[in-house]
Amino acid sequence: MLILGPDAVDASLTYKGLIETLREAFKAGAVQPVRHHHHVERPDGAANTLLLMPAWTDLQAAGRSAGGHIGIKIVTVAPDNGKLSKPAVMGNYLLLDAATGEPQAMIDGQKLTVWRTACASALAADYLARPDAAVHLICGAGALSPHLAKAHRAVRPLRRVLLWNRTAAHAAAVAEALQADGIDAQAVDDLDAAQAQADVISCATLSSVPLVKGALLKPGTHVDLVGAFTPTMRESDDEAIRRARVYVDTRAGATKEAGDIVLALQSGALTEGDIRGDLFDLTRGKAAGRNLDSEITLFKSVGAALEDLAAGIAVYRAQQG
Protein backbone atom coordinates (compact mmCIF):
# COMPACT_ATOMS: atom_id res chain seq x y z
CA MET A 1 0.00 0.00 0.00
CA LEU A 2 1.25 3.45 -0.91
CA ILE A 3 1.42 6.12 1.79
CA LEU A 4 0.99 9.44 0.01
CA GLY A 5 1.49 12.70 1.87
CA PRO A 6 0.57 16.26 0.88
CA ASP A 7 3.60 16.73 -1.37
CA ALA A 8 2.67 13.63 -3.38
CA VAL A 9 -0.87 14.96 -3.83
CA ASP A 10 0.43 18.31 -5.07
CA ALA A 11 2.82 16.58 -7.47
CA SER A 12 0.06 14.36 -8.87
CA LEU A 13 -2.60 16.95 -9.71
CA THR A 14 -3.16 20.03 -11.84
CA TYR A 15 -6.19 22.29 -11.62
CA LYS A 16 -7.24 21.91 -15.24
CA GLY A 17 -6.62 18.18 -15.10
CA LEU A 18 -8.63 17.59 -11.94
CA ILE A 19 -11.49 19.80 -13.14
CA GLU A 20 -11.79 17.58 -16.21
CA THR A 21 -11.46 14.43 -14.08
CA LEU A 22 -14.37 15.62 -11.93
CA ARG A 23 -16.41 16.53 -15.01
CA GLU A 24 -16.05 12.96 -16.29
CA ALA A 25 -16.72 11.51 -12.82
CA PHE A 26 -20.04 13.35 -12.50
CA LYS A 27 -21.00 12.27 -16.00
CA ALA A 28 -20.26 8.63 -15.17
CA GLY A 29 -21.52 8.58 -11.59
CA ALA A 30 -20.53 6.33 -8.66
CA VAL A 31 -22.14 4.61 -5.72
CA GLN A 32 -22.31 7.12 -2.84
CA PRO A 33 -23.93 5.91 0.40
CA VAL A 34 -25.13 8.63 2.73
CA ARG A 35 -22.17 9.99 4.66
CA HIS A 36 -21.87 9.32 8.38
CA HIS A 37 -21.96 12.58 10.32
CA HIS A 38 -21.22 12.43 14.06
CA HIS A 39 -20.85 15.14 16.71
CA VAL A 40 -18.05 14.54 19.19
CA GLU A 41 -18.89 16.51 22.34
CA ARG A 42 -16.03 18.03 24.32
CA PRO A 43 -16.28 19.28 27.92
CA ASP A 44 -13.90 22.20 27.41
CA GLY A 45 -14.69 23.56 23.96
CA ALA A 46 -16.78 23.45 20.81
CA ALA A 47 -17.94 20.03 19.65
CA ASN A 48 -15.89 18.37 16.94
CA THR A 49 -17.38 16.61 13.92
CA LEU A 50 -16.45 13.19 12.52
CA LEU A 51 -17.32 12.59 8.87
CA LEU A 52 -17.07 9.23 7.10
CA MET A 53 -17.56 9.48 3.34
CA PRO A 54 -17.55 6.20 1.35
CA ALA A 55 -17.90 5.74 -2.42
CA TRP A 56 -17.04 3.12 -4.99
CA THR A 57 -16.92 2.69 -8.72
CA ASP A 58 -20.29 1.59 -10.13
CA LEU A 59 -18.99 -1.53 -11.88
CA GLN A 60 -22.44 -2.89 -12.66
CA ALA A 61 -23.54 0.28 -14.44
CA ALA A 62 -20.24 0.42 -16.31
CA GLY A 63 -20.52 -3.19 -17.39
CA ARG A 64 -17.22 -4.24 -15.80
CA SER A 65 -16.38 -7.03 -13.40
CA ALA A 66 -13.04 -5.67 -12.21
CA GLY A 67 -10.81 -2.62 -12.30
CA GLY A 68 -12.74 -0.36 -9.95
CA HIS A 69 -12.00 1.21 -6.61
CA ILE A 70 -13.56 1.68 -3.19
CA GLY A 71 -12.67 4.77 -1.21
CA ILE A 72 -13.51 6.19 2.17
CA LYS A 73 -12.56 9.57 3.58
CA ILE A 74 -12.22 9.90 7.34
CA VAL A 75 -12.43 13.56 8.34
CA THR A 76 -12.52 15.50 11.59
CA VAL A 77 -13.57 19.13 11.91
CA ALA A 78 -12.34 20.81 15.08
CA PRO A 79 -13.50 24.46 15.23
CA ASP A 80 -11.17 25.31 18.14
CA ASN A 81 -8.02 24.30 16.26
CA GLY A 82 -7.45 27.86 15.13
CA LYS A 83 -6.52 28.74 18.71
CA LEU A 84 -3.74 26.16 18.42
CA SER A 85 -2.60 27.34 14.98
CA LYS A 86 -3.76 24.04 13.49
CA PRO A 87 -6.14 23.43 10.57
CA ALA A 88 -9.80 22.98 11.52
CA VAL A 89 -10.18 20.12 9.04
CA MET A 90 -8.02 16.99 9.16
CA GLY A 91 -8.36 13.62 7.52
CA ASN A 92 -7.08 10.73 5.43
CA TYR A 93 -8.34 8.92 2.35
CA LEU A 94 -8.17 5.14 2.08
CA LEU A 95 -8.31 3.70 -1.46
CA LEU A 96 -9.05 0.00 -1.97
CA ASP A 97 -9.25 -2.40 -4.91
CA ALA A 98 -12.98 -2.91 -5.56
CA ALA A 99 -12.61 -6.56 -6.59
CA THR A 100 -10.38 -7.81 -3.75
CA GLY A 101 -10.71 -5.16 -1.04
CA GLU A 102 -6.91 -4.87 -0.99
CA PRO A 103 -5.66 -1.51 0.33
CA GLN A 104 -3.95 0.45 -2.45
CA ALA A 105 -3.17 3.84 -0.92
CA MET A 106 -3.56 5.99 2.15
CA ILE A 107 -3.65 9.56 0.92
CA ASP A 108 -3.39 12.82 2.87
CA GLY A 109 -7.05 13.78 3.24
CA GLN A 110 -6.56 17.47 3.98
CA LYS A 111 -4.63 18.10 0.79
CA LEU A 112 -6.94 15.89 -1.29
CA THR A 113 -9.96 17.75 0.10
CA VAL A 114 -8.74 21.25 -0.76
CA TRP A 115 -7.86 20.16 -4.30
CA ARG A 116 -11.16 18.42 -5.01
CA THR A 117 -13.26 21.12 -3.30
CA ALA A 118 -11.64 23.95 -5.21
CA CYS A 119 -11.84 22.08 -8.51
CA ALA A 120 -15.50 21.14 -7.97
CA SER A 121 -16.25 24.83 -7.42
CA ALA A 122 -14.31 25.73 -10.54
CA LEU A 123 -16.19 23.05 -12.48
CA ALA A 124 -19.46 24.69 -11.44
CA ALA A 125 -18.07 28.12 -12.34
CA ASP A 126 -17.25 26.83 -15.81
CA TYR A 127 -21.02 26.54 -16.35
CA LEU A 128 -22.19 29.44 -14.20
CA ALA A 129 -19.67 32.31 -14.08
CA ARG A 130 -19.61 35.02 -16.76
CA PRO A 131 -17.03 34.31 -19.47
CA ASP A 132 -15.39 37.70 -18.81
CA ALA A 133 -15.29 37.45 -15.00
CA ALA A 134 -12.27 39.43 -13.81
CA VAL A 135 -12.49 40.07 -10.04
CA HIS A 136 -12.58 37.18 -7.55
CA LEU A 137 -13.45 37.82 -3.91
CA ILE A 138 -12.57 35.03 -1.49
CA CYS A 139 -14.08 35.11 2.02
CA GLY A 140 -11.99 33.03 4.40
CA ALA A 141 -8.22 32.62 4.49
CA GLY A 142 -7.83 28.99 5.40
CA ALA A 143 -5.99 26.24 3.55
CA LEU A 144 -8.63 26.16 0.82
CA SER A 145 -8.39 29.83 -0.18
CA PRO A 146 -5.30 29.75 -2.46
CA HIS A 147 -6.64 26.64 -4.19
CA LEU A 148 -9.95 28.39 -4.88
CA ALA A 149 -8.07 31.29 -6.43
CA LYS A 150 -5.96 29.06 -8.68
CA ALA A 151 -8.72 26.63 -9.66
CA HIS A 152 -11.09 29.40 -10.76
CA ARG A 153 -8.31 30.98 -12.79
CA ALA A 154 -8.14 27.70 -14.73
CA VAL A 155 -11.65 28.28 -16.12
CA ARG A 156 -12.08 32.09 -16.16
CA PRO A 157 -9.79 35.05 -16.99
CA LEU A 158 -9.72 36.34 -13.41
CA ARG A 159 -7.19 39.14 -13.17
CA ARG A 160 -7.54 40.19 -9.53
CA VAL A 161 -8.13 38.41 -6.23
CA LEU A 162 -9.52 40.13 -3.12
CA LEU A 163 -9.20 38.30 0.21
CA TRP A 164 -11.23 38.94 3.34
CA ASN A 165 -10.95 37.18 6.68
CA ARG A 166 -12.15 38.00 10.18
CA THR A 167 -8.49 37.92 11.21
CA ALA A 168 -7.03 40.42 8.76
CA ALA A 169 -3.46 39.15 9.17
CA HIS A 170 -4.48 35.74 7.79
CA ALA A 171 -5.93 37.34 4.65
CA ALA A 172 -2.76 39.36 4.20
CA ALA A 173 -0.62 36.22 4.47
CA VAL A 174 -2.62 34.40 1.78
CA ALA A 175 -2.51 37.47 -0.46
CA GLU A 176 1.27 37.61 -0.08
CA ALA A 177 1.60 33.93 -0.98
CA LEU A 178 -0.55 34.38 -4.08
CA GLN A 179 1.50 37.41 -5.08
CA ALA A 180 4.61 35.25 -4.88
CA ASP A 181 2.93 32.96 -7.43
CA GLY A 182 2.39 35.89 -9.79
CA ILE A 183 -1.26 36.53 -8.95
CA ASP A 184 -2.59 40.06 -8.39
CA ALA A 185 -4.00 39.61 -4.89
CA GLN A 186 -4.73 41.93 -1.99
CA ALA A 187 -6.33 41.70 1.44
CA VAL A 188 -9.41 43.85 2.05
CA ASP A 189 -11.04 45.04 5.27
CA ASP A 190 -14.44 46.14 3.93
CA LEU A 191 -16.33 42.99 2.95
CA ASP A 192 -19.44 44.84 1.78
CA ALA A 193 -17.46 47.09 -0.56
CA ALA A 194 -15.57 44.11 -1.95
CA GLN A 195 -18.80 42.24 -2.70
CA ALA A 196 -20.02 45.13 -4.80
CA GLN A 197 -16.87 44.86 -6.98
CA ALA A 198 -16.69 41.10 -7.39
CA ASP A 199 -17.61 39.05 -10.46
CA VAL A 200 -17.07 35.79 -8.55
CA ILE A 201 -17.44 35.44 -4.77
CA SER A 202 -16.13 32.31 -3.06
CA CYS A 203 -16.93 31.72 0.60
CA ALA A 204 -15.00 29.07 2.53
CA THR A 205 -15.71 29.70 6.21
CA LEU A 206 -17.29 28.11 9.27
CA SER A 207 -19.71 31.03 9.59
CA SER A 208 -23.14 30.71 11.14
CA VAL A 209 -24.18 34.21 10.06
CA PRO A 210 -24.52 35.42 6.46
CA LEU A 211 -21.46 37.03 4.92
CA VAL A 212 -22.73 37.32 1.34
CA LYS A 213 -25.56 39.85 1.19
CA GLY A 214 -27.96 39.66 -1.72
CA ALA A 215 -28.62 43.39 -1.75
CA LEU A 216 -24.94 44.07 -2.52
CA LEU A 217 -24.54 41.64 -5.44
CA LYS A 218 -24.13 43.33 -8.78
CA PRO A 219 -25.83 41.80 -11.85
CA GLY A 220 -23.80 38.99 -13.36
CA THR A 221 -22.11 37.88 -10.12
CA HIS A 222 -21.46 34.20 -9.50
CA VAL A 223 -21.55 33.16 -5.82
CA ASP A 224 -19.63 30.04 -4.81
CA LEU A 225 -20.41 28.76 -1.29
CA VAL A 226 -18.16 25.95 -0.06
CA GLY A 227 -18.10 26.38 3.73
CA ALA A 228 -21.06 26.11 6.16
CA PHE A 229 -21.44 22.34 6.00
CA THR A 230 -24.21 21.83 8.60
CA PRO A 231 -27.93 22.74 8.50
CA THR A 232 -27.43 25.56 11.02
CA MET A 233 -24.47 27.25 9.32
CA ARG A 234 -24.79 29.69 6.44
CA GLU A 235 -22.65 32.09 4.41
CA SER A 236 -25.41 33.84 2.39
CA ASP A 237 -28.64 35.57 3.34
CA ASP A 238 -32.11 34.87 1.99
CA GLU A 239 -31.92 37.81 -0.40
CA ALA A 240 -28.88 36.30 -2.13
CA ILE A 241 -30.82 33.06 -2.58
CA ARG A 242 -33.91 34.90 -3.87
CA ARG A 243 -31.97 36.90 -6.46
CA ALA A 244 -29.92 33.98 -7.79
CA ARG A 245 -30.33 30.99 -10.06
CA VAL A 246 -29.40 28.32 -7.51
CA TYR A 247 -27.34 25.19 -8.18
CA VAL A 248 -25.81 22.60 -5.85
CA ASP A 249 -23.17 19.89 -6.02
CA THR A 250 -25.67 17.12 -5.17
CA ARG A 251 -29.36 17.63 -4.41
CA ALA A 252 -29.46 14.98 -1.69
CA GLY A 253 -26.52 16.46 0.21
CA ALA A 254 -27.37 20.12 -0.19
CA THR A 255 -31.03 19.87 0.80
CA LYS A 256 -30.17 17.97 3.98
CA GLU A 257 -26.83 19.35 5.15
CA ALA A 258 -26.19 22.78 3.61
CA GLY A 259 -27.49 25.55 5.86
CA ASP A 260 -27.60 28.04 2.99
CA ILE A 261 -30.12 25.76 1.27
CA VAL A 262 -31.86 24.23 4.32
CA LEU A 263 -32.52 27.58 6.03
CA ALA A 264 -33.69 29.20 2.79
CA LEU A 265 -36.11 26.30 2.27
CA GLN A 266 -37.40 26.77 5.82
CA SER A 267 -37.90 30.53 5.39
CA GLY A 268 -39.59 30.17 2.00
CA ALA A 269 -36.87 32.09 0.17
CA LEU A 270 -36.29 28.91 -1.85
CA THR A 271 -38.27 25.85 -2.87
CA GLU A 272 -36.74 22.56 -3.97
CA GLY A 273 -38.14 23.26 -7.42
CA ASP A 274 -36.11 26.49 -7.53
CA ILE A 275 -32.86 24.50 -7.50
CA ARG A 276 -31.95 24.58 -11.20
CA GLY A 277 -29.59 21.61 -11.17
CA ASP A 278 -26.64 19.86 -9.61
CA LEU A 279 -23.25 18.85 -11.00
CA PHE A 280 -24.71 15.63 -12.40
CA ASP A 281 -27.27 17.69 -14.34
CA LEU A 282 -24.78 20.31 -15.52
CA THR A 283 -22.13 17.86 -16.74
CA ARG A 284 -24.70 15.65 -18.47
CA GLY A 285 -26.42 18.57 -20.19
CA LYS A 286 -29.68 18.01 -18.30
CA ALA A 287 -29.64 21.51 -16.78
CA ALA A 288 -28.73 24.79 -18.39
CA GLY A 289 -26.09 26.94 -16.75
CA ARG A 290 -25.88 30.70 -17.09
CA ASN A 291 -28.25 32.11 -19.73
CA LEU A 292 -27.59 35.86 -19.50
CA ASP A 293 -24.64 38.00 -18.50
CA SER A 294 -26.91 39.90 -16.11
CA GLU A 295 -28.00 36.85 -14.11
CA ILE A 296 -26.80 36.19 -10.58
CA THR A 297 -25.88 32.53 -10.11
CA LEU A 298 -25.20 30.69 -6.87
CA PHE A 299 -23.54 27.31 -6.32
CA LYS A 300 -23.65 25.59 -2.95
CA SER A 301 -21.27 22.72 -2.26
CA VAL A 302 -21.21 20.44 0.76
CA GLY A 303 -18.85 17.92 -0.82
CA ALA A 304 -19.55 14.61 -2.51
CA ALA A 305 -17.76 11.32 -1.91
CA LEU A 306 -17.57 10.89 -5.68
CA GLU A 307 -15.21 13.87 -5.81
CA ASP A 308 -12.85 12.32 -3.28
CA LEU A 309 -12.92 8.99 -5.10
CA ALA A 310 -12.12 10.58 -8.46
CA ALA A 311 -9.31 12.69 -6.99
CA GLY A 312 -7.92 9.76 -4.99
CA ILE A 313 -7.83 7.53 -8.07
CA ALA A 314 -6.10 10.33 -10.03
CA VAL A 315 -3.40 10.64 -7.35
CA TYR A 316 -2.92 6.87 -7.12
CA ARG A 317 -2.60 6.47 -10.89
CA ALA A 318 -0.14 9.35 -11.14
CA GLN A 319 2.04 7.76 -8.47
CA GLN A 320 1.83 4.41 -10.23
CA GLY A 321 3.28 6.00 -13.35
Side-chain angles (χ1 to χ4, degrees), residues 206-225:
L206 299 178
S207 182
S208 296
V209 296
L211 300 173
V212 177
K213 300 172 184 177
L216 301 178
L217 299 176
K218 68 179 183 180
T221 302
H222 172 58
V223 179
D224 167 43
L225 305 175

Side-chain angles (χ1 to χ4, degrees), residues 31-83:
V31 180
Q32 299 184 91
V34 176
R35 77 172 88 185
H36 296 257
H37 191 141
H38 303 280
H39 288 286
V40 181
E41 298 293 339
R42 300 171 57 234
D44 57 351
N48 293 342
T49 301
L50 172 66
L51 296 173
L52 305 175
M53 299 175 63
W56 53 87
T57 309
D58 192 345
L59 297 178
Q60 184 173 350
R64 294 173 292 174
S65 60
H69 301 270
I70 300 169
I72 181 167
K73 187 163 74 171
I74 305 167
V75 176
T76 56
V77 182
D80 290 343
N81 275 7
K83 301 172 185 177

Side-chain angles (χ1 to χ4, degrees), residues 42 59 61-62 124 151 162 183 187-188 196 206 220 225 232 241 253 266 272 276 279 307 310:
R42 300 171 57 234
L59 297 178
L162 307 176
I183 296 173
V188 295
L206 299 178
L225 305 175
T232 60
I241 297 290
Q266 291 175 358
E272 289 200 27
R276 304 301 181 108
L279 285 177
E307 299 165 7

